[in-house]
Amino acid sequence: TEILIAFSVLRLITALASAPAGRLVDAFGAGRATVAGMSAAAVSVALAGAATDPMLIWIALAGVGLADAFTKAPVKAWILSLGPPDSAGPARGNRAASDGIATLISSLLVGLAWSGDGRTALMAAATVGSLGVAVAWSAQRTHSTNDSMRSLT
């Protein structure tokens, strides 16, 4: 029952936060929103790994829901903005394939690392997630710089 409630809360938070997140994406850009969402996910997973109080687990779960709201649609918009309009189909397909492969690998690694209460696996996932944030931040900054340079010419 707790798992059912937990996943329901997670999806409810994602659903409620997605439209406001979309407005922030329009204001600040899809790349920045994606980095913010990935950061929230990494912090939330680290919080879950460090939690000693069940309430912190629920807070971490809420953070993951917010992270989903800031990554699911914004990352798609960001990737589509990187290429010409006639490459939207392949871009969506490549993103979906990359997401599926990354999810499979991360799930396998967390499953292999899981022992006892899962703290080690969650902290490892947060660490890898933080590396992903650094890569996304770099890509976002590079793309923003390229756009700024193009507008000057």
Side-chain angles (χ1 to χ4, degrees), residues 1-7 58:
T1 305
E2 286 180 349
I3 291 179
L4 175 66
I5 293 169
F7 276 101
W58 288 102

Side-chain angles (χ1 to χ4, degrees), residues 75-148:
V75 76
K76 293 174 188 174
W78 183 25
I79 288 170
L80 291 176
S81 75
L82 297 175
D86 62 345
S87 67
R92 284 185 179 130
N94 289 335
R95 191 221 49 88
S98 299
D99 186 55
I101 291 167
T103 301
L104 173 64
I105 292 169
S106 64
S107 297
L108 289 171
L109 292 175
V110 167
L112 290 171
W114 198 275
S115 63
D117 60 7
R119 290 178 190 271
T120 302
L122 291 169
M123 295 309 275
T127 301
V128 172
S130 297
L131 295 173
V133 169
V135 169
W137 177 254
S138 176
Q140 183 271 145
R141 287 185 46 83
T142 300
H143 181 63
S144 294
T145 302
N146 289 343
D147 283 349
S148 297

